[in-house]
Amino acid sequence: MTIRNALRDHGQRYRPRMACLKKAEKVLLEMQDPCTGVKSQPQRLVITIIPHAITGEDIIAWLADRFQIDAQEARSFGSMLVALGYIYPLQDHKRLVIKPDASLYRFQTPYFWPTQQWPVEDTDYAIYLAKRNIRKKGILELHEQEQYNHLHKWMNHKWDFVVMQAKEQYRAAKERKKPDRVVFDCQERAYWVVHRPPPGTVSAMDYGLDRRTDPNTDETQTPDYYERIMIFTQQSIMRPRVKSSVSIGALVKYSATYSGHDPFLSKCLPSNPWLTDDTTYWTLNMSNVEIPTKMRVERWTFSFKELLSDPRGRDDFRLFLKKEFSGENLAFWEGCEDLKWGTAVAMREKAEQIYKTFLARGAPRWINIDGKTMEITVKGLKHPHRYVLDAAQTHIYMLMKKDSYGRYLKSPVFKETLKKAICPEEHKFNEVQLEQNARNRRPSLSPIIIRQQEQEQRAKMAANAPVDITQLCRFTTPVPHLAVYTGIPDPPSVTASPSLPFLAHTPVCPSPISVALDSTSASERRMEASDGEGNTEVRAPEGGNLSKSRMALSLRRLLKRGCSPSTMFASLSPKCHTAATTSSRIQPITPDEASQAPPRRIGNFFQIKVDIPPECRIYPIESEDEDEENRPASRDAVGTEEIICPWESLTRQNGTG
Amino acid sequence: MGKEECKTMLDALNKVTACYRHLVIALGSTSDSQNLREELKKTRKKAQELAVANRTKLTTLLKDKTISKEDRAEYERLWVLFSSSMELLEVDMKRSLEIGQDFPLKVPTRHLIQTGMTGSTNVVAARAMSVQNMKYEADSNIDTADLRDLQTEITQVSQMMEEMEMKVQVAPWAVVAKQEAGAELKSNMSVGNSSVGVISICEEEPKDDEGGGGREGGSGSIGAVVVFFVIVAVALVLGYLVVNM
């Protein structure tokens, strides 16, 4: 085509390339052949006889014969032609399928064939609706009425034209003979059924978003074009290579694992909603369903990614982690995801929250990441961006994957879920039932509503969150100041409740490096801890003595029990500020902060400093006044009020120490 | 005055555009023929003449800085009508070129799509040309010659539209339409008998078309009621006569 629409088309509406259209046109032309084409018959209406009607079974038979395929495939091919709009049904014009019986169809005129070159104009649709309005004397169908009102509103400036043109076209159409008028009306209606499908109709031209560039144009060979080719080839040379045995092996493994779960390749239980219009499959597999299906649970065993990406699987895993008292890992991971995918406005605040909850020393849900990662993260948090927690998130992800995931798959939680999982029976619908299902198609819940429900659920979970009790980290050496924090409402995702009442907390499983650092400055700490914590009520020495004895007691109990010290800790914590440690160094902590002022920030409870001068701030991204508020009593005599940020101090320490 | 002239010319252009569309729809189908191609050509020529006339008139009117605000608004409305007509015309011309090339007439075996339309379109063309009967005097190479002409005409039209946009500064979205929603129903469109018949036929085809069925049912029931009353009246008269006898 030499003359294209591109001159006037200033919008970028190039569609995904539909190569099937040209091929379908060829098939259509072959069907027209009087000798070898589809046999046509006249359609008898009350008074008139209109020629060139073809039956569904004839079409299917011809397709099967021409392409040497079986009847089922011919039927799908025929349905495709109808869905694209090359053939339209005369009865039941809204269902764009081929029925393998004597129901009648007709070919569409080339002007109304689907093309990508000529975008479907709303002006034309408005004219069509106006014409239909005239013919039907104001009684349009519901979706047509809605479209009419909508077009009238936004195309108001052209409405005079629309009305004039509609009247003229109507009068011009009246000039023709009756059979031709009928045919023309049916053609136009069929065209608009394909391009503006009524609710519940599936038209094949409903393909989604348009592409930015026209795939059909030839690209001009500018220097820029060649430069892009060069860059691409250079990058291809530098790409790391994998042996084909490895990559093919991975492909084979993937195909073998997933082939049973692919709805194209194997049966979808109970039935594929796209084929049978029955939505049981979707309701059974919703994200908040109580009892998952067996197939779904099987998918969780394939990889950790599968488990996490399925909301129900994630819930199950969270439950397991709660029982194992390592829920903070998953919570941190989810918080990082939230940060990555959330809005830019809330990013800074979210990053701050996450740091306070998970990363800061003494955080309520401290996660165990190595010092290097921690350093990188803290440095990045100075200027938080979307991916600032990526390193830490990856670390935690690998930790969960290598450690918790394996235990989860052997855990009673998982086994229970697996036992309860249901395996729905396959539906066997006959034709009548299928038609009924098609008629009863209803739109599902809007995604906006679903998102709102999810948010409400999250808020609810945050509001009455269970106590998150951590335990000794099995894999780190005993550290001087292991703390337990109890009574902390623990939101499943960090962003849910901005103001978390923080109680006493110190890290449970501090990283090895901080442990090392701790030990070097333990004396310093003890000094800090023992002398006047201005903001604590219970005096340290007394508490210390008391706590010492209690510590020993609890320690013995802990060593006996090994793994679930929850009850013991719970009994201990409200009364006194003890920390379960395995060493003799006892650091009195001040959970009584909680009693005085529950919604205190984390800074209050930082009695245990690792290596940073006492005056220094805890969070890299805090404001000045908060610092004032959090440091009512200065630590010791050094007393310079210089605010040093943790990451700066860390680097200093690491440089020197 | 200027406005009335403009309006009549625009109406004429509108009519021609509508008829041209009808003709292009018939292209490539079994109602395609030599005559159709010729009709298309003639309609096109007429459309272009009208377009040029309209354009000059409107451009002069709009370039006039001394007109009042209401006048200007009115002219802008007419301008929007004109440019929309031209857009439609241009697209139809391009499509007729494309379809004309895909469905040549002078080949030994021509496969025209069996759309069910078999009648001729000369009445539509006659309406467009505002004549009683169409006269056909085309030569046999209507296909190729016509298409070449068509290409040149399309480029002319495109150029004209580009010029129009450059010269006249009209914001089409600022125009307020005079017709409100549903204005097409208020016209003096008398739905004659033939069209009623056609409507009922077309509704017969789809069995689940509610609108047509409803209307048919209504008229049928009214007829039945009338017949009933007639019979009752006749029965009463007869009964009276019987009783009196």
Side-chain angles (χ1 to χ4, degrees):
Chain A
M1 271 299 302
T2 50
I3 294 180
R4 321 201 98 233
N5 209 19
L7 268 181
R8 312 278 318 154
D9 194 344
H10 302 298
Q12 290 165 334
R13 1 174 213 194
Y14 299 112
R15 286 79 169 264
R17 201 192 311 227
M18 291 184 84
C20 54
L21 296 180
K22 282 274 165 274
K23 299 177 188 176
E25 283 172 19
K26 285 207 198 84
V27 173
L28 253 282
L29 283 175
E30 281 182 31
M31 282 169 132
Q32 307 302 319
D33 195 306
C35 322
T36 57
V38 186
K39 295 279 166 282
S40 69
Q41 62 197 56
Q43 180 198 16
R44 276 180 181 74
L45 294 174
V46 175
I47 314 166
T48 48
I49 298 179
I50 307 178
H52 304 146
I54 42 183
T55 57
E57 51 199 6
D58 279 345
I59 298 175
I60 294 178
W62 185 89
L63 286 171
D65 186 48
R66 161 76 178 80
F67 292 105
Q68 298 295 309
I69 49 182
D70 63 332
Q72 181 61 36
E73 199 175 334
R75 188 170 164 182
S76 344
F77 189 175
S79 289
M80 173 112 216
L81 288 176
V82 176
L84 282 171
Y86 288 103
I87 302 175
Y88 60 93
L90 297 176
Q91 299 115 353
D92 200 6
H93 64 281
K94 284 195 204 159
R95 279 199 67 205
L96 301 173
V97 287
I98 277 234
K99 295 187 213 175
D101 51 16
S103 43
L104 295 174
Y105 295 82
R106 198 173 272 136
F107 294 111
Q108 180 68 280
T109 182
Y111 185 86
F112 285 143
W113 277 356
T115 70
Q116 291 199 281
Q117 256 191 302
W118 309 106
V120 179
E121 298 275 1
D122 281 313
T123 320
D124 291 338
Y125 189 47
I127 295 173
Y128 165 69
L129 284 177
K131 275 200 287 188
R132 203 163 160 77
N133 209 13
I134 299 174
R135 230 194 54 197
K136 289 246 180 167
K137 297 192 177 61
I139 306 171
L140 288 178
E141 290 184 37
L142 189 62
H143 77 275
E144 284 176 345
Q145 281 176 10
E146 285 171 16
Q147 293 274 25
Y148 185 91
N149 292 335
H150 175 68
L151 285 169
H152 176 71
K153 195 164 132 197
W154 80 260
M155 227 200 294
N156 198 302
H157 58 284
K158 276 196 183 173
W159 202 253
D160 287 344
F161 171 70
V162 166
V163 169
M164 271 173 63
Q165 193 50 224
K167 287 193 210 161
E168 275 304 326
Q169 284 189 8
Y170 189 77
R171 286 184 203 132
K174 272 211 298 188
E175 299 283 335
R176 302 198 70 175
K177 294 204 208 61
K178 224 179 286 178
D180 288 346
R181 284 182 68 182
V182 174
V183 171
F184 173 67
D185 285 333
C186 294
Q187 279 174 352
E188 210 181 7
R189 184 181 61 181
Y191 176 73
W192 289 112
V193 165
V194 170
H195 288 101
R196 294 280 186 267
T201 307
V202 179
S203 102
M205 291 308 283
D206 204 2
Y207 51 66
L209 296 176
D210 298 340
R211 278 167 67 164
R212 268 205 87 230
T213 53
D214 184 2
N216 300 317
T217 46
D218 302 317
E219 197 170 353
T220 48
Q221 324 280 24
T222 56
D224 184 54
Y225 169 74
Y226 288 113
E227 188 169 334
R228 274 187 283 138
I229 293 179
M230 283 192 331
I231 293 174
F232 177 76
T233 358
Q234 280 168 355
Q235 286 177 340
S236 312
I237 294 170
M238 291 193 301
R239 232 186 296 151
R241 278 160 181 70
V242 176
K243 268 163 64 165
S244 56
S245 58
V246 172
S247 59
I248 293 175
L251 274 173
V252 166
K253 181 164 171 220
Y254 179 87
S255 311
T257 326
Y258 283 92
S259 80
H261 294 260
D262 190 315
F264 284 114
L265 298 178
S266 52
K267 265 206 270 275
C268 192
L269 299 174
S271 62
N272 192 333
W274 294 112
L275 296 176
T276 59
D277 296 314
D278 178 276
T279 52
T280 319
Y281 177 73
W282 288 331
T283 39
L284 286 179
N285 284 316
M286 293 216 304
S287 34
N288 51 1
V289 77
E290 274 294 315
I291 303 175
T293 56
K294 272 214 162 39
M295 296 295 277
R296 197 175 182 180
V297 177
E298 197 187 317
R299 273 189 96 129
W300 302 344
T301 63
F302 290 163
S303 75
F304 185 53
K305 187 167 80 114
E306 284 282 340
L307 178 66
L308 278 192
S309 55
D310 188 357
R312 180 68 182 78
R314 211 192 282 188
D315 285 343
D316 224 37
F317 190 56
R318 197 180 298 127
L319 189 68
F320 164 73
L321 286 179
K322 193 164 86 161
K323 296 217 166 116
E324 284 222 332
F325 309 105
S326 46
E328 68 271 6
N329 289 335
L330 185 60
F332 175 70
W333 185 86
E334 281 183 333
C336 290
E337 285 287 293
D338 201 16
L339 181 70
K340 275 204 293 201
W341 298 103
T343 57
V345 176
M347 228 165 52
R348 209 178 150 79
E349 198 183 288
K350 276 190 208 165
E352 200 175 302
Q353 278 305 321
I354 293 178
Y355 180 83
K356 278 196 248 180
T357 324
F358 296 100
L359 296 171
R361 287 183 215 90
R365 307 185 78 182
W366 193 81
I367 53 163
N368 186 7
I369 51 176
D370 64 305
K372 185 114 198 330
T373 318
M374 179 65 97
E375 186 188 324
I376 296 170
T377 310
V378 168
K379 207 193 302 198
L381 276 169
K382 193 170 168 187
H383 300 289
H385 57 90
R386 211 172 275 277
Y387 302 105
V388 65
L389 298 169
D390 224 17
Q393 187 187 11
T394 317
H395 184 99
I396 290 294
Y397 181 85
M398 296 313 288
L399 187 71
M400 285 197 290
K401 178 168 152 179
K402 295 202 173 115
D403 176 30
S404 319
Y405 181 55
R407 277 184 283 138
Y408 165 73
L409 290 181
K410 303 192 192 103
S411 70
V413 175
F414 178 68
K415 290 203 167 69
E416 180 75 30
T417 314
L418 189 57
K419 200 165 65 168
K420 281 204 289 196
I422 50 173
C423 194
E425 287 226 338
E426 195 190 335
H427 282 149
K428 290 215 190 317
F429 290 123
N430 56 23
E431 285 285 337
V432 172
Q433 282 172 322
L434 283 177
E435 298 224 357
Q436 201 171 31
N437 288 347
R439 251 177 286 139
N440 293 343
R441 272 191 282 210
R442 294 276 168 271
S444 62
L445 229 48
S446 147
I448 300 174
I449 297 179
I450 293 179
R451 211 181 313 145
Q452 278 173 356
Q453 284 178 348
E454 276 176 22
Q455 279 172 348
E456 282 166 28
Q457 217 175 21
R458 246 186 277 162
K460 220 187 327 168
M461 261 170 54
N464 40 337
V467 167
D468 185 43
I469 298 169
T470 60
Q471 60 159 103
L472 285 178
C473 212
R474 287 194 216 170
F475 305 97
T476 59
T477 54
V479 285
H481 59 287
L482 286 181
V484 63
Y485 45 96
T486 56
I488 301 160
D490 186 47
S493 85
V494 184
T495 57
S497 51
S499 59
L500 302 169
F502 279 23
L503 307 181
H505 18 253
T506 49
V508 180
C509 307
S511 66
I513 293 187
S514 65
V515 168
L517 294 171
D518 284 353
S519 48
T520 55
S521 58
S523 51
E524 190 190 317
R525 234 180 300 121
R526 218 176 320 159
M527 190 180 67
E528 293 170 13
S530 57
D531 76 355
E533 290 104 316
N535 43 4
T536 69
E537 273 167 337
V538 184
R539 286 303 103 201
E542 282 177 8
N545 288 339
L546 205 59
S547 58
K548 270 190 192 129
S549 54
R550 281 198 198 232
M551 274 335 301
L553 191 61
S554 65
L555 194 54
R556 244 176 277 132
R557 264 191 252 159
L558 175 68
L559 288 173
K560 275 192 224 155
R561 296 249 192 98
C563 262
S564 31
S566 53
T567 51
M568 167 178 64
F569 287 177
S571 64
L572 285 176
S573 67
K575 302 192 207 74
C576 77
H577 32 283
T578 57
T581 84
T582 51
S583 84
S584 56
R585 276 181 296 202
I586 297 140
Q587 309 306 323
I589 312 198
T590 59
D592 278 5
E593 295 298 340
S595 50
Q596 339 163 334
R600 253 335 160 106
R601 312 273 200 109
I602 202 175
N604 279 344
F605 312 123
F606 264 48
Q607 313 310 324
I608 295 156
K609 298 292 162 289
V610 185
D611 300 296
I612 39 187
E615 292 80 13
C616 112
R617 277 201 266 176
I618 309 306
Y619 351 106
I621 37 179
E622 277 304 329
S623 56
E624 306 282 333
D625 36 344
E626 200 194 321
D627 189 63
E628 260 45 75
E629 172 198 348
N630 291 345
R631 295 265 170 280
S634 75
R635 294 272 120 223
D636 60 15
V638 179
T640 57
E641 296 315 307
E642 192 186 320
I643 313 295
I644 305 169
C645 297
W647 62 90
E648 283 172 27
S649 65
L650 260 175
T651 51
R652 240 190 309 143
Q653 293 302 329
N654 289 339
T656 58
Chain B
M1 64 164 206
K3 255 192 244 177
E4 295 311 316
E5 263 181 59
C6 265
K7 281 202 187 136
T8 38
M9 285 208 298
L10 272 174
D11 283 340
L13 179 63
N14 201 28
K15 187 164 72 162
V16 171
T17 313
C19 295
Y20 192 71
R21 174 157 281 200
H22 268 285
L23 294 174
V24 176
I25 287 175
L27 252 187
S29 65
T30 37
S31 60
D32 196 356
S33 65
Q34 180 105 338
N35 287 346
L36 177 64
R37 306 284 169 119
E38 202 180 323
E39 285 160 15
L40 278 171
K41 184 169 167 172
K42 293 207 165 108
T43 319
R44 217 164 49 226
K45 289 242 166 10
K46 174 120 193 206
Q48 266 198 299
E49 289 164 26
L50 279 170
V52 170
N54 262 309
R55 184 198 61 166
T56 39
K57 188 101 189 117
L58 273 172
T59 337
T60 44
L61 280 173
L62 278 169
K63 279 213 156 134
D64 189 3
K65 296 271 191 270
T66 61
I67 49 180
S68 64
K69 254 196 147 179
E70 299 85 39
D71 274 354
R72 188 161 177 96
E74 179 62 20
Y75 291 144
E76 284 189 1
R77 194 181 73 88
L78 294 177
W79 181 263
V80 167
L81 283 172
F82 174 59
S83 56
S84 319
S85 277
M86 287 313 295
E87 279 169 14
L88 230 59
L89 206 61
E90 195 193 347
V91 169
D92 280 344
M93 277 164 66
K94 287 182 182 163
R95 294 209 71 177
S96 70
L97 177 64
E98 194 190 345
I99 300 175
Q101 284 172 340
D102 286 338
F103 292 93
L105 291 177
K106 289 287 172 245
V107 287
T109 54
R110 54 180 189 180
H111 291 299
L112 294 172
I113 306 291
Q114 296 167 350
T115 54
M117 275 201 181
T118 43
S120 71
T121 46
N122 50 9
V123 274
V124 179
R127 188 188 165 82
M129 307 296 292
S130 314
V131 295
Q132 283 299 97
N133 291 309
M134 289 288 294
K135 288 186 267 297
Y136 297 101
E137 65 256 352
D139 42 351
S140 54
N141 59 346
I142 184 82
D143 283 11
T144 40
D146 183 37
L147 293 176
R148 274 201 304 272
D149 290 342
L150 182 48
Q151 277 181 321
T152 45
E153 280 176 29
I154 290 174
T155 38
Q156 277 175 12
V157 166
S158 314
Q159 275 171 358
M160 184 165 77
M161 290 190 72
E162 295 249 332
E163 278 175 32
M164 269 164 47
E165 279 197 1
M166 293 298 150
K167 284 194 189 148
V168 177
Q169 308 295 331
V170 172
W173 50 88
V175 168
V176 178
K178 271 196 181 158
Q179 315 265 19
E180 66 272 19
E184 59 270 8
L185 294 169
K186 297 191 183 63
S187 71
N188 48 357
M189 295 285 314
S190 59
V191 184
N193 287 340
S194 60
S195 52
V196 167
V198 174
I199 289 168
S200 58
I201 283 171
C202 201
E203 298 330 326
E204 262 177 349
E205 300 202 28
K207 301 222 164 57
D208 55 355
D209 204 335
E210 308 83 0
R215 197 174 333 116
E216 267 189 316
S219 61
S221 65
I222 288 170
V225 164
V226 164
V227 165
F228 171 74
F229 277 122
V230 161
I231 290 172
V232 163
V234 165
L236 280 172
V237 164
L238 282 175
Y240 175 70
L241 286 173
V242 160
V243 160
N244 278 355
M245 275 213 272

